[in-house]
């Protein structure tokens, strides 16, 4: 505001909806919601929700250098104006206070009671050529005015006694402003530097802020927040904010204030001329540009944020908290879901737990991920092969481990490969396509799922199941690779005639039927060029197979849109012993690098497989699939890999964080079947009060004792009849605090507290029948009893059931009060 | 799909930090009003404030939970140069019945001569360890040798980073292959002082923390730093809030176990976003480190997600007051995910700020929604 006539803005100290813009004249505006009936046609939009209305204009005071609003309620709209000629004038705006009484000091100052509207008599004159650069009222003492003059002086004047003043010599004399929250703190500036003053020790600034490259034009304290100072430099579109963490202490405070610097850009690119804080609305300000465009704007606080374990986002903005919780809506496409959400959903669907129909696990995972589908089918075939192998030849244990070691190792161990040339079935014409056979190759085909176990290679069941699932192109390709053109054509025709059939399939079938093995035929030429235009990968490789030279099947083998499973099966049939391992090696490395789960077919559950899974986990974070997959491995081997252990630990940790404790327990059971070393040891022993021995029956020498008794002809099992006594010394066990029976006696049903409760208890009893008899006790007061009795007691009480014991047993453990978020 | 709603926090000044516990059922907030609040999630998913007490004699910068296996333990740090460990106790009074819990001060760590800017518990597998960093550039690592006695903490390590520290983050990896590692960020704004993120690694042989890496490309003031949950991955990911959001990948290079030199890393920049248009204040990872949230001076919270190619994209923007970003009225859910929307979100989003013409709603009510 000091140079030129750039508009400045001032908020009324008492009317939250009024402010003044001053450049060559003073204009009073009222701010209101946009579009409301109050705002008239001439309203200026400030933002999407607010607009301003012009109320009054005062152009009586020329040469304005600075303006300050009178801080008292009455009279309204009284302004002190500092002029370029060194005068300070009191002036007023609007009509509202016209008839009201004029305050005493004003009477005294102006001696003009009647007119009231505009007071033009100079109050105080600084000097002949001094311009008053800034001024403000001291809020604590309304008779005092803080003035900054040209001659490097900052001065406090008392209006009651104009000769009384306090001076300080400084360069920082512009934009004097008092902190509304700490009224001894004053900010002023010079060029690019802001000085903060403490009026109680006015000799020098308390501290200065880092210097700006451009000269400052305005400095203002936030009215609603402690220690927030906003500054503006010339020709800038950025308002800088200084958040001062500084408890102002006048003496001996050596703590350097912590200042957090921020910058905001209220109206994107356009330059700001001035701004003013709203007196009451939090962090709100109006900014004005040189051409008097105004903008209503709220400064956001530094937002702190945190994710919860269940993917809810909490953030704090200013004094408010906002939680952005995940909506359980079904509308979200699976591909857009985060893996954390997916894993939680899958855990609840018991993904990985189907050990009978292993392939079904991919359905539990949602059934829409081709990689998971491939993985679980691979595991299914591996387990199936190893199971049948087990049943038939128990002694061949090395073959057993071969199954787990993946096709890569299977084809390496291949020996005794025979080469045959088959006829195209349905015709007696000899093909020139060599097909290779060996025991290992047919095992690989089994793992690919093309054939089932048996001496002869029969793909018919596989074709049938493919047809059933509507994968007609794939079925046709498999039929063709088994040199059965007729079947392939039949499959395609069926596909074309089926509901919503694809007419293209008929065309393809026709093209197939024209197959000729003559090298230079038109059919060959056209097919090899036109096949590239086929969009369906399986149709494409069919023609690639028919048109390529024997042994040169790159167009089939490197068609990445075709499932790895089918490409590998194809390779096992048509590549010779030299080509096959090379191809498989190459493909394996590709899969490992990409972390593609289809590659588990090649690597098996070996170290290679762990490598592949590592890059899958690196890519997706899906430790759930990794854990379950490795748990299917041949006992012990891959489970010892530290990486696998790490995934399992991380997955268990996730389940714990989600409070899926039941799922975690199920997972542990599942795991301990394969890895007995993961079973935790007994954690607690109950020892007898009398002999100090553990009362556990499974412990120590108990079985022998039991047998010993029966030898002496004691009827019934002693261990069963004597459960209420210590197995060591035969003394009775402690009594339950509720039923006062010795522990070990079966629980009689809890006294019903209501019908609804009884009903709930019935279902609960079914589940917890055994648990009700368990010992339980409070760690703190050592009182306890039957678990069932204790549970029902603490459903209604918080104190221990033992009389005179005031222990709040159930509240001692906060985690214990958390309920699991999964169902059993 | 996310739905934002506001919670009446009732703090008397700016809230500096918010922190969830391990299960996400409890929350702690701290504020410039020198107090802390603990919130518990009720059965109807509402947050109830169960404790509120004055903690420090200055602004409380950060608050953090210990793993629940150490009990209900909180740590806070403040401008008053201290860090405090708090424990919830069940008193004789009927506090619990009134829905209130009682927190008592177990220890005050007074070693710092300046404002303590961050406090973090070490990962659970390291035991009960607490780390603080302060404006004078010292990182202190304390240990409670007896986890049952939280009033005794011994200062185990003092790392001098030589630059004013603003934030620390532990590498959460529990893999034995990864030595304990801590990243320290500095808010020193002098760009000539070099890298503002230093990474220290524990050395089993010397039993000391040694600098393993300085991210020399981060030269501006760093306001927040966060290691991503490792989840069994073979590398580490670090998010940094500086003048932009940056995501670094640290791939440990194999080393022979006999050498006592710190691990060498191959450092890659995965992503760098300046769409906040100004300083970025906070970054936070979700539990699988597949989603990153950041907040900046544009008053917005942005969500970032990587696709399978490791390309990070903005998947959501929310204003600080929970309202949708102006110019995109209503829920964002409809347009997110489409290619055009993505490009609009990734590009320079001009800062616009909403006006609150009405007082902010006190009651919880749903606001704009965004997709994960």
């Amino acid at each position: 505001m000091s140079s030129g006539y750039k508009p400045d803005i001032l908020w009324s100290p008492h009317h939250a909806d009024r402010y003044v813009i001053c450049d060559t004249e003073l204009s009073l505006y009222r701010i209101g919601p946009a579009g409301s009936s109050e705002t008239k046609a001439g309203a200026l939009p400030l933002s999407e929700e607010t607009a301003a209305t012009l109320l009054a204009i005062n152009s009586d005071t020329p040469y304005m250098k600075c303006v300050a609003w009178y801080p008292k309620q009455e009279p309204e709209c009284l302004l002190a104006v500092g002029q370029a000629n060194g005068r300070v004038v009191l002036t007023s705006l609007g009509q509202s206070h016209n008839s009201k009484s004029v305050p005493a000091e004003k009477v005294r100052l102006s001696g003009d009671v009647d007119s009231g509207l505009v007071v033009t008599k100079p109050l105080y004159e600084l000097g002949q050529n001094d311009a008053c650069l800034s001024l403000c009222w001291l809020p604590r003492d309304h008779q005092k005015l803080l003035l900054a003059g040209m001659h490097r002086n900052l001065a406090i004047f008392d209006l009651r006694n104009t000769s009384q003043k306090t001076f300080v010599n400084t360069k920082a004399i512009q934009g004097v402003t008092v902190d509304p929250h700490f009224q001894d703190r004053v900010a002023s500036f010079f060029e690019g530097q802001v000085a903060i003053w403490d009026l109680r020790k006015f000799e020098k600034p308390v501290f200065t802020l880092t210097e700006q490259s451009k000269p400052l034009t305005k400095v203002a304290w936030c009215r609603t927040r402690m220690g927030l100072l906003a500054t503006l430099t010339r020709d800038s579109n950025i308002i800088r904010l200084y958040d001062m963490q500084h408890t102002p202490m006048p003496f001996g405070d050596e703590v350097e204030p912590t200042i957090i610097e921020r910058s905001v850009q209220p109206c994107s690119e356009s330059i700001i001329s001035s701004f003013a804080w709203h007196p009451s609305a939090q962090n709100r300000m109006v900014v004005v540009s040189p051409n008097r465009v105004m903008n209503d704007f709220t400064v956001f606080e530094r937002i702190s944020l945190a994710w919860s374990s269940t993917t809810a986002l909490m953030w704090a903005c200013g004094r408010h908290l906002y939680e952005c919780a995940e909506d359980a809506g079904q509308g979200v496409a699976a591909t857009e879901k985060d893996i954390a959400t997916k894993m939680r959903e899958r855990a609840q669907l018991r993904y990985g737990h189907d050990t009978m129909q292993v392939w079904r696990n991919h359905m539990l995972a949602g059934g829409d991920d081709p990689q998971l589908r491939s993985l679980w089918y691979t595991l299914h075939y591996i387990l199936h092969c190893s199971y049948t192998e087990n049943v038939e030849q128990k002694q061949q244990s090395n073959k057993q481990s071969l199954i787990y070691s993946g096709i890569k190792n299977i084809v390496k161990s291949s020996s005794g490969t025979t080469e045959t040339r088959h006829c195209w079935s349905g015709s007696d014409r000899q093909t020139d396509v060599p097909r290779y056979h060996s025991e290992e190759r047919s095992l690989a085909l089994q793992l690919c799922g093309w054939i089932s176990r048996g001496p002869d290679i029969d793909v018919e069941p596989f074709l049938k199941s493919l047809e059933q699932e509507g994968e007609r192109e794939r079925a046709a390709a498999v039929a063709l690779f088994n040199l059965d053109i007729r079947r392939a054509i039949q499959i395609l025709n069926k596909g074309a005639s089926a509901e919503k059939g694809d007419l293209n399939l008929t065309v393809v079938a026709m093209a197939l039927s024209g197959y000729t093995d003559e090298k230079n035929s038109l059919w060959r030429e056209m097919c090899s060029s036109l096949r590239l235009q086929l969009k369906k990968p399986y149709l494409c490789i069919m023609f690639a197979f028919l048109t390529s030279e024997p042994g040169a099947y790159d167009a089939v083998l490197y068609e990445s849109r075709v499932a790895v499973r089918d490409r590998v099966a194809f390779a096992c049939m048509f590549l010779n012993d030299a080509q096959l391992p090379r191809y498989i090696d190459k493909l394996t490395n590709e899969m490992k690098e990409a972390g593609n789960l289809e590659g588990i077919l090649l690597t098996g559950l070996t170290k290679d497989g762990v490598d592949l899974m590592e890059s899958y986990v690196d890519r997706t974070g899906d430790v759930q699939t990794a854990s379950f997959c490795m748990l299917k491995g041949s006992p012990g081997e891959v489970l010892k890999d530290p990486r696998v252990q790490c995934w399992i630990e991380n997955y268990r940790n996730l389940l714990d964080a989600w409070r899926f404790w039941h799922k975690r327990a199920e997972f542990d059971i599942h795991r301990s079947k394969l890895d007995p070393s993961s079973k935790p040891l007994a954690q607690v022993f109950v020892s007898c009060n009398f002999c100090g021995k553990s009362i556990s029956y499974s412990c120590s020498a108990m079985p022998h004792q039991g047998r010993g008794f029966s030898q002496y002809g004691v009827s019934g099992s002693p261990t069963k009849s004597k459960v209420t006594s210590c197995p060591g010394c035969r003394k009775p066990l402690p009594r339950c605090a509720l039923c006062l029976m010795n522990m070990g006696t079966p629980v009689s049903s809890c006294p019903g507290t209501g019908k609804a409760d009884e009903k709930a208890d019935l279902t609960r009893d079914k589940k917890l029948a055994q648990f009700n008899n368990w010992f339980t006790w409070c760690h703190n007061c050592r009182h306890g009893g039957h678990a069932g009795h204790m549970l029902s007691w603490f459903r209604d009480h918080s104190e221990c059931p033992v009389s005179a014991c005031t222990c709040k047993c159930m509240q001692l453990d906060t985690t214990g009060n958390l309920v699991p978020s999964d169902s059993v | 799909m996310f739905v934002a709603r506001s919670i009446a926090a009732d703090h008397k000044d700016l809230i500096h930090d918010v922190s969830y516990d391990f299960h996400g059922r409890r929350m702690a907030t701290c504020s410039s009003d020198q107090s802390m609040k603990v919130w518990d999630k009720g059965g109807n998913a509402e947050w109830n404030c169960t404790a509120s007490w004055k903690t420090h004699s200055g602004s409380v910068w950060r608050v953090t939970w210990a793993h629940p296996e150490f009990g209900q333990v909180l740590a806070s740090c403040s401008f008053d140069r201290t860090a405090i460990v708090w424990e919830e106790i069940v008193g004789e009074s009927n506090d619990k019945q009134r829905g209130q819990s009682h927190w008592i001060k177990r220890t005050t760590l007074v070693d710092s001569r300046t404002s303590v800017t961050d406090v973090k518990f070490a990962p659970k597998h390291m035991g009960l360890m607490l780390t603080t960093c302060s404006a004078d550039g010292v990182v202190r690592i304390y240990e409670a040798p007896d986890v049952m006695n939280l009033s005794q903490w011994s200062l185990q390590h003092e790392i001098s980073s030589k630059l004013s520290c603003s934030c620390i983050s532990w590498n959460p990896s529990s893999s034995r292959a990864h030595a304990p590692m801590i990243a320290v960020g500095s808010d020193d704004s002098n760009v000539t002082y070099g890298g503002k993120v230093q990474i220290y690694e524990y050395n089993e042989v010397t039993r000391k923390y040694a600098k393993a890496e300085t991210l020399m490309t981060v030269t501006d003031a760093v306001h927040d730093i966060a290691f991503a949950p490792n989840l069994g991955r073979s590398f580490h990911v670090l998010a940094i809030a500086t003048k932009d959001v940056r995501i670094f990948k640290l791939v440990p290079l194999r080393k022979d176990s006999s050498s006592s030199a710190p691990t060498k890393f191959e450092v890659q920049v995965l992503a760098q976003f300046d769409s906040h248009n100004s300083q970025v204040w906070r970054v936070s990872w979700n539990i699988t480190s597949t989603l990153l949230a950041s907040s900046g001076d544009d008053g917005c919270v942005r969500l970032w997600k990587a696709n399978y190619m490791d390309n990070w994209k903005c998947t959501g923007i929310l204003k600080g007051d929970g309202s949708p970003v102006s110019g995109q009225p209503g829920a964002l859910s409809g347009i997110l995910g489409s290619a055009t929307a993505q490009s609009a979100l990734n590009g320079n989003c001009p800062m616009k700020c909403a006006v609150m013409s009405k007082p902010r709603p006190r009651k919880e009510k749903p606001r704009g929604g965004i997709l994960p």
Side-chain angles (χ1 to χ4, degrees), chain A residues 33 46-50 225-226 243 245-247 253-258 260-268 281-282 284 296-329 332 335-341 343 614 617-623 642-643 646-647 649-651 653-654 656-659 661 798-799 806 808 811-815 817-819, chain B residues 1-27 29 32 39 41 45 47 59 61 67-68 72 79 81 88 90-94 96-97 115 124 174-175 230-235 254 277-279 281-288 290-301 303 305 308 318-322 326-327 336-337 350-351 353-357 360 362 367 370-372:
Chain A
L46 294 184
S47 70
E48 278 166 21
E49 286 143 45
T50 50
R225 261 264 323 272
M226 270 281 250
D243 197 344
Q245 293 296 331
H246 178 239
T247 357
D253 180 33
E254 79 278 28
V255 181
E256 269 285 295
T258 304
I260 299 162
E261 232 183 287
R262 302 173 53 195
S263 56
V264 290
Q265 225 177 321
C267 29
S268 57
Q282 244 183 59
R284 181 166 155 196
D296 191 344
F297 163 78
T298 300
V299 178
F300 280 97
E301 293 289 0
R302 287 176 297 132
I303 300 168
S304 70
L305 37 77
W307 285 102
S308 83
S309 52
T310 48
T311 327
L313 183 66
M314 180 73 76
W315 75 85
C317 184
R319 295 169 199 179
H320 292 262
L321 285 170
Y322 298 90
E323 188 178 35
C324 194
E326 205 177 7
D327 190 13
V332 186
T335 47
E336 283 169 8
K337 277 186 194 158
D338 183 54
I339 188 68
T341 316
M343 280 198 273
E614 183 177 28
V617 172
D618 281 356
R619 190 165 58 82
T620 62
D622 183 3
V623 280
R643 289 171 290 179
C646 187
W647 298 331
E649 280 318 305
N650 274 293
Y651 180 51
N653 192 50
L654 281 181
D656 280 342
W658 293 329
R659 290 176 296 124
W661 296 314
S798 64
E799 261 180 24
T806 55
K808 297 208 170 28
Q811 291 166 4
L812 291 175
D813 188 355
T814 312
T815 312
N817 291 334
L818 283 176
V819 282
Chain B
M1 174 91 185
F2 287 91
V3 178
R5 55 182 195 163
S6 95
I7 296 159
D10 213 26
H11 269 293
K12 289 181 187 61
D13 207 337
L14 176 60
I15 299 171
H16 287 294
D17 199 14
V18 44
S19 168
Y20 278 107
D21 79 335
F22 177 68
H23 296 293
R25 302 292 296 179
R26 310 194 91 186
M27 180 176 67
T29 54
S32 262
W39 306 75
K41 204 168 200 170
W47 286 100
S59 286
W61 296 132
H67 192 273
Q72 296 296 308
F79 178 70
R81 310 178 221 176
E88 186 183 32
V90 180
E92 295 302 306
S93 62
N94 288 331
K96 255 279 163 41
Q97 263 135 11
S115 168
K124 166 189 89 156
S174 61
S175 162
N230 177 272
L231 221 65
R233 290 184 178 87
S234 60
F235 52 84
R254 306 245 179 257
N277 249 333
S278 48
Q279 296 295 317
W281 294 111
R282 289 296 178 89
V283 282
S284 173
W285 291 100
N286 76 335
I287 192 167
T288 46
T290 42
L291 279 169
L292 179 74
S294 66
S295 71
D297 255 345
D298 60 348
C300 289
V301 173
L303 302 185
K305 189 178 179 178
Y308 64 98
L318 272 179
K319 295 289 281 298
D321 61 356
S326 45
L336 280 172
M351 185 174 359
C353 288
V355 171
M356 282 157 294
S357 49
R360 258 184 260 222
R362 291 242 110 186
R367 307 297 289 261
I370 46 171
L371 277 175

Side-chain angles (χ1 to χ4, degrees), chain A residues 723-725 731-749 751 772-776 783-787 789-790 802:
Chain A
V723 281
T724 58
S725 64
K731 294 260 170 54
L733 292 177
R735 292 167 191 276
C736 168
L738 276 168
C739 66
L740 297 182
M741 298 296 270
N742 292 104
M743 292 302 292
T745 46
V747 168
S748 58
S749 68
N772 274 344
N773 290 334
W774 282 18
F775 287 28
T776 181
H783 296 131
H786 294 114
H789 291 162
M790 289 298 143
V802 174

Side-chain angles (χ1 to χ4, degrees), chain B residues 150-226:
Chain B
L150 296 182
S151 53
Q152 278 199 354
W153 291 80
S154 56
L155 180 59
Q156 295 284 333
H157 301 279
E158 248 183 349
I159 309 167
S160 177
S161 78
K162 309 225 167 43
L163 287 172
S164 160
C165 298
S166 57
C167 47
I168 41 179
S169 176
W170 279 99
N171 179 7
S173 171
S174 61
S175 162
R176 252 170 248 115
H178 304 140
M181 192 159 81
I182 188 167
V184 183
S186 165
D187 59 356
D188 195 306
S189 51
N190 192 334
V191 283
T192 55
Y193 288 173
K196 294 300 180 336
V197 174
Q198 300 172 353
I199 295 165
Y200 294 89
E201 194 191 50
Y202 184 67
N203 192 312
E204 289 291 345
V205 182
T206 59
R207 299 194 174 181
K208 281 202 168 69
Y209 282 84
K211 195 186 283 182
E213 191 70 52
T214 305
L215 301 182
M216 295 309 288
T217 53
V218 185
T219 52
D220 291 274
V222 170
H223 307 292
D224 199 12
I225 193 166

Side-chain angles (χ1 to χ4, degrees), chain A residues 433-496:
Chain A
V433 184
R435 254 187 81 168
Y436 302 92
H437 295 276
S438 73
E439 211 177 312
E440 285 77 16
R441 281 175 191 245
S442 56
L443 178 61
L445 285 181
Q446 282 175 42
L447 292 179
C448 288
W450 277 28
I451 56 170
S452 55
R453 198 160 164 76
D456 47 291
I457 295 163
D458 182 17
V459 291
E460 196 51 37
F462 180 54
L463 292 180
K464 285 231 168 71
S465 69
L466 282 181
E467 274 190 289
Q468 252 171 21
E469 288 183 26
E471 294 188 83
R472 298 188 193 281
E473 291 92 5
R474 193 174 163 205
V478 174
L480 183 75
F481 296 152
N482 282 285
L483 307 178
D484 196 345
I485 288 195
R486 214 169 269 278
R487 180 83 173 97
I489 292 169
Q490 184 207 335
I491 291 167
L492 290 177
N493 276 334
K494 229 197 256 173

Side-chain angles (χ1 to χ4, degrees), chain A residues 543-560:
Chain A
F543 289 104
F545 171 63
L546 290 177
T547 55
S548 46
E549 296 298 316
Y553 297 117
D554 283 7
V556 180
L557 296 171
Y558 296 105
E559 172 59 66
S560 58

Side-chain angles (χ1 to χ4, degrees), chain A residues 613-669:
Chain A
M613 196 54 92
E614 183 177 28
S615 51
Y616 172 76
V617 172
D618 281 356
R619 190 165 58 82
T620 62
D622 183 3
V623 280
Q624 185 181 40
T625 300
S627 304
F628 277 112
C629 168
M630 290 304 159
L631 279 178
K632 296 275 179 287
S634 89
E637 214 171 284
V638 287
L639 278 177
K640 288 193 192 89
D641 193 297
R643 289 171 290 179
V644 177
Q645 291 294 333
C646 187
W647 298 331
I648 289 174
E649 280 318 305
N650 274 293
Y651 180 51
R652 294 178 71 238
N653 192 50
L654 281 181
L655 291 176
D656 280 342
W658 293 329
R659 290 176 296 124
F660 282 4
W661 296 314
H662 296 137
K663 295 284 174 289
R664 213 274 329 284
E666 268 184 273
F667 178 80
D668 284 348
I669 293 166

